[in-house]
Amino acid sequence: MQCHCRLPSRHSLHGQRVFQPASQRPQRLKAARPQAVAVSQVPTSLSTSRVWEAAYEQLQMEKGVCNLIQKYTPEAVRERALSSPDSTFQILSRAGTMTTVMGRFFLGLVWDRVTGQADTPGRVQYRAAQLREALTWLGPSFVKAGQVLASRPDIVREDYMNELCTLQDDVPSFPDDQAFGILQEELGRPIAEVFSSISERPIAAASLGQVYKAVLRETGQEVAVKVQRPGVEPIIFRDLFIFRALARLVNSTSKKKLGCNAQLIVDEFGEKLLEELDYLQEARNIQDFYRNFSNDPKVKIPWVRRDLSGPRVLTMEWIDGIRCTDPAAIRASGMDVAEFIRCGVVTGLRQLLEFGLFHGDPHPGNIFAMPDGRIAYVDFGNVAELSQTNKQTLIDAIVHAVNEDYEGMAEDFIKLGFLAPGTDVTPIAPALQEIWQDSMGRSLADFNFRTVTSKFNDLVYQYPIRIPERYSLVIRALLTQEGICLTLSPEFHFLEVAYPYVARRLLTAEDPILRERLFQVLFQNGKFQWKRAEKLLGLAKEGSGGLDITSTVRDAVKVVLLDDKLRMQLVNAFTEDNKLHVAEVRSILNEVQGEINTQQLVRQTLGDLPALSRQFMLSWSDKILSS
């Protein structure tokens, strides 16, 4: 089962001129969308709690990842929000505050339209600042929502987005005595016993907490100590309860008019928010990233002290580098900026396609350039996970893009949850083709993610496409990363870095599934693509560190010996059009010259001969018996 909704979009937010005007949206085509089942259509015999859980169950089934440590459920939010005797009064009071603050802002937008000031630069800047201040005043839940919008140029107009970006780094701190009280309570002993020194003021303040710099007494190591804002958890549970209650009220309308499940939108947002609220979960995220990149000499992941951390306190290694918020300092440091950029892009792709665990908030303040040229990450509260199936489907989508198989790409959209099962992809495939070809232009240098996002955004409103939460984070991460790279080097082109990595991974990975994808790239309509093979090898060699395809050649030999169909395809490729393709073979051999360890290949092939002979004989006997 998959759920059919989208994250909050400009359809559901009607602030005049903050979001893209409705008049600019293409007419949505409704014929392709299967009928979604609204929560309001659930049989009335179900209990209230069961209705609350329905959309959330859809979310968990769609993710395809089993999370044994789950803090968010709709019922848990309901219980926490209603846990105190005066909870009803607190909820009503909070809802009234939200309505007053945001109502004042939206009434201001209406007044601007009436008075003809809606697009006046000075007025727009004033309203953008007003929105930022309103979100800040309403607290962490709204600040996090603003931070999400600040990374979504497809939802919010640029001038508002730029103002909301200040929410990333310009959040007021809370009193230090409260922070030190929480720290001592979580440590279970005096602060002086653990730290020989700690900064009197926070180094940075965020929506959920603030960071101090300290020195461990036992080792002398510098650490960053993150302390959660006092009383933030009850407020967030209360806000999520209100959000979900409102979503339930409008769910039938949102499904009918907009094709989205409003409750699921809240579930996706709430689940990530509560994950960020749990600093022990962040410590586990850091440890996972640390293991994933432990053998990568170009990536720095800080270590974490679990024994000095708790649900409200996190103690991790202090990163001493240059934040990517200061590109001039990075360029002036003398490091190889091009290599640093390449490292950042490859690191991001490895998170997505190899590990399936990626940093969901890689804004410039969370990425550092180390003095030795390494890239370092901090703030692992917002981390998303992709299942093995989702990773494979992403790779399929890349293969289909390379092969210009747009119907296959549209089918991938169904598997990834962008389209509902059963959706007719016939009208969607040509639209994807137009977007991809227009974005690619004449070369890789013409491609950029912001252009693709803008074009894809129009597609969302023409067809029943939704953006699952985890892929919203993927898009956000790629857009942010591309923006960082462009500030460091205006001549940067993402695909010129990403394609070599993907090519190397297809050619060198020992994963049988990736081997299958490689053959899909090299064969199209049963024909071997000589130019594509040569281009793939050329792209792969552009990456650093050398290209060893010995294992790939070894596997190819095994497959050719055992697969009659593939063997005939290769023979046909060599003799296609009634001629021997000697020049093409020579060109391929020139590309791989020096990239194959001949001695290792011979040794491994000889070692495989007994097993290969047995498999060959079994295959031969099966054919004899079947005939």
Side-chain angles (χ1 to χ4, degrees), residues 286-362:
I286 295 174
Q287 289 179 319
D288 289 340
F289 271 79
Y290 191 90
R291 281 192 295 269
N292 288 344
F293 289 101
S294 59
N295 295 321
D296 193 327
K298 297 182 179 180
V299 180
K300 171 63 178 176
I301 304 296
W303 43 258
V304 62
R305 288 288 299 266
R306 288 285 297 272
D307 58 322
L308 301 179
S309 301
R312 297 182 296 165
V313 168
L314 180 69
T315 303
M316 58 185 284
E317 180 182 4
W318 179 264
I319 297 296
D320 193 9
I322 306 172
R323 287 183 186 268
C324 286
T325 51
D326 192 357
I330 294 177
R331 289 191 292 267
S333 67
M335 71 173 59
D336 187 339
V337 174
E339 178 60 23
F340 177 76
I341 290 175
R342 193 201 70 81
C343 178
V345 172
V346 171
T347 300
L349 291 172
R350 291 192 69 196
Q351 292 175 38
L352 284 174
L353 301 179
E354 290 185 42
F355 308 131
L357 185 74
F358 65 96
H359 198 300
D361 191 20

Side-chain angles (χ1 to χ4, degrees), residues 39 148 236 242 292:
V39 173
V148 171
I236 285 180
I242 295 172
N292 288 344

Side-chain angles (χ1 to χ4, degrees), residues 101-102 105 129-139 142:
V101 174
M102 296 308 298
F105 169 73
Q130 184 185 21
L131 175 60
R132 174 182 56 78
E133 292 169 359
L135 295 177
T136 302
W137 193 87
L138 285 170
F142 287 84

Side-chain angles (χ1 to χ4, degrees), residues 249-271:
L249 287 175
V250 303
N251 206 38
S252 298
T253 302
S254 67
K255 282 199 168 189
K256 183 178 180 180
K257 300 293 185 181
L258 308 177
C260 73
N261 185 325
Q263 286 181 298
L264 188 60
I265 291 172
V266 176
D267 288 339
E268 290 175 330
F269 174 71
E271 188 172 61

